[in-house]
Amino acid sequence: MTKILITGGAGFIGSHVVRRFVNSYPKYEIVNLDKLTYAGNLANLADIEHLPNYKFIKGDIVDAIFLENLFAEGQFDAVIHLAAESHVDRSITNPLDFVMTNVVGTVNLLNAARKHWQDDFVNKRFYHVSTDEVYGSLGEDGMFTETTPYDPRSPYSASKASSDHFVRAYHETYGLNTVISNCSNNYGSFHFPEKLIPLAINNIKSNKPIPVYGKGENVRDWLWVEDHARAIDVIFHKAAPGTTYNIGGHNEWKNIDLIQLLCKIMDEKLDRVPGTSAKLITYVTDRAGHDLRYAIDSTKLQRELGWSPSLQFEEGLEKTVTWYLHNEEWLEGITSRDYQAYYNTQYNR
Ligand code: NAD
Ligand code: TYD
């Protein structure tokens, strides 16, 4: 029996990781620890919450005493750590929230793991899920590899970079069996509509302006979220202690090209005259310090562990749109809460 603590499992990526592990490994015990911030939503896990190898615990990783008690009782064999504040725009408004959860919360988890696993580090595993944004911003050329120097430029990426450094330090200093993966932008079902793709789908559906920052020329490298969850599964089971893997889909899109493609798919799905949705595109004030381009080189993961992305972007985007159109209740559950207040402040509406 393997007992795994997954943090942030009620969020976007975490819910896909929890679902994958609960369904694929019925003999594992999966414990989902989540604070249920604005981004956490147990509706993301409604299909698996009744399964006997799944348990949810509400709690905050910033609370060291809570974590100490949880580890003392839990007897975990591994941690897969996804809990984080994850939105760059919110990090520009409230950087300290990101320091608390992403840095202090991660160090609290590392301390609990170090204390409770010290007699058997070899057979335990601390997997830290991170982002390609720690590497900074690329120009027209080049890609991030595992040896690209860290150069974070937003409060979000600075906090994730800091957490990566602490994880590495606990491996080097104490011998904790750690693994880190740095992934590019994810998309798919259960994505909170503050991020570009679900926000644009929601706005197009409601005939609201689609806010495109600056000139729309920033480039992101998009990966189907279920491919990320599968990569985490492979890395969790196969990676050597202390290693790092980049995860990405070799799938770069300028924001404006992506939005144009999305508009085309939405016109088809909503039976609108071609070109209708694109009329909603509205250029707005650019994000402060907006990273120009991210691109991940995932050769190491492909070569060493045999992972590769499964979906072409056009197919994945169409599946994503279909999911949002079939899950209006899920979307309304979010947009009817404090989402509107955030939206009004962020977009001056
Ligand atoms: P998300 O914002 O959708 O979910 C974060 C989850 O963490 C939520 O369920 C939230 O309730 C929980 N959480 C926040 N603070 C907490 C705390 N103090 N204690 C316990 N739980 C807390 O984020 P996501 O997009 O699913 O990202 C998950 C992880 O993957 C993050 O670490 C992020 O940095 C990383 N990542 C995200 C992307 C992306 O494209 N979204 C890409 C690469 C890496
Ligand atoms: P986002 O989904 O916030 O992810 P990240 O900032 O982590 O890459 O943004 C993706 C890209 O889309 C990024 O270049 C910023 C841009 N963007 C917009 O143009 N408009 C928006 O309303 C949002 C949320 C993002």
Side-chain angles (χ1 to χ4, degrees), residues 11 34 102 120 127 217 286 319 343:
D34 198 296
N102 299 1
D120 190 19
Y127 186 140
E217 285 179 350
D286 207 354
K319 273 174 109 141
Y343 193 92

Side-chain angles (χ1 to χ4, degrees), residues 16-269:
H16 285 279
V17 173
V18 166
R19 178 175 297 100
R20 183 176 177 91
F21 274 74
V22 166
N23 285 331
S24 309
Y25 304 103
K27 291 202 171 143
Y28 289 5
E29 227 179 301
I30 303 300
V31 178
N32 171 14
L33 166 64
D34 198 296
K35 184 183 174 184
L36 299 182
T37 66
Y38 77 93
N41 187 354
L42 289 178
N44 297 0
L45 292 162
D47 57 329
I48 58 113
E49 66 187 0
H50 62 283
L51 293 175
N53 61 337
Y54 171 73
K55 183 175 169 193
F56 173 71
I57 294 176
K58 185 169 180 206
D60 186 345
I61 59 168
V62 176
D63 183 345
I65 294 167
F66 161 77
L67 279 185
E68 164 57 27
N69 292 333
L70 182 70
F71 271 72
E73 276 172 31
Q75 304 288 312
F76 304 114
D77 300 300
V79 170
I80 304 178
H81 175 37
L82 297 105
E85 288 293 337
S86 69
H87 191 38
V88 173
D89 292 327
R90 291 188 193 249
S91 82
I92 294 168
T93 317
N94 290 311
L96 208 50
D97 290 352
F98 288 68
V99 175
M100 293 313 291
T101 287
N102 299 1
V103 186
V104 177
T106 301
V107 176
N108 282 342
L109 271 173
L110 287 164
N111 282 338
R114 180 186 160 215
K115 177 171 170 196
H116 288 274
W117 294 348
Q118 58 190 340
D119 296 334
D120 190 19
F121 277 159
V122 180
N123 292 306
K124 310 289 186 190
R125 166 137 286 185
F126 190 103
Y127 186 140
H128 179 57
V129 175
S130 193
T131 168
D132 61 352
E133 304 192 25
V134 298
Y135 298 122
S137 180
L138 292 165
E140 301 281 307
D141 304 316
M143 296 179 112
F144 300 133
T145 70
E146 287 79 0
T147 55
T148 301
Y150 275 32
D151 183 23
R153 294 158 32 101
S154 76
Y156 165 65
S157 54
S159 68
K160 290 297 291 187
S162 173
S163 64
D164 291 11
H165 290 322
F166 273 103
V167 173
R168 214 162 267 133
Y170 273 59
H171 173 71
E172 296 297 336
T173 309
Y174 308 112
L176 199 65
N177 174 349
T178 63
V179 183
I180 301 173
S181 58
N182 297 85
C183 189
S184 61
N185 288 60
N186 285 214
Y187 71 97
S189 54
F190 302 111
H191 204 179
F192 193 89
E194 65 189 350
K195 307 277 167 57
L196 179 67
I197 291 178
L199 185 144
I201 293 173
N202 186 37
N203 285 17
I204 295 168
K205 192 162 77 70
S206 328
N207 273 308
K208 286 196 195 139
I210 311 164
V212 173
Y213 295 163
K215 293 182 182 160
E217 285 179 350
N218 303 68
V219 174
R220 295 293 181 265
D221 185 354
W222 294 93
L223 181 70
W224 173 242
V225 63
E226 292 180 34
D227 281 336
H228 186 188
R230 186 165 47 85
I232 290 173
D233 185 343
V234 171
I235 294 167
F236 176 78
H237 287 102
K238 291 190 179 169
T243 49
T244 292
Y245 286 89
N246 279 355
I247 310 171
H250 287 283
N251 179 43
E252 291 180 52
W253 284 78
K254 268 189 189 165
N255 290 340
I256 189 60
D257 296 339
L258 184 161
I259 292 296
Q260 292 283 5
L261 174 63
L262 189 60
C263 288
K264 184 167 159 274
I265 296 171
M266 291 291 284
D267 281 346
E268 283 161 15
K269 298 273 178 204

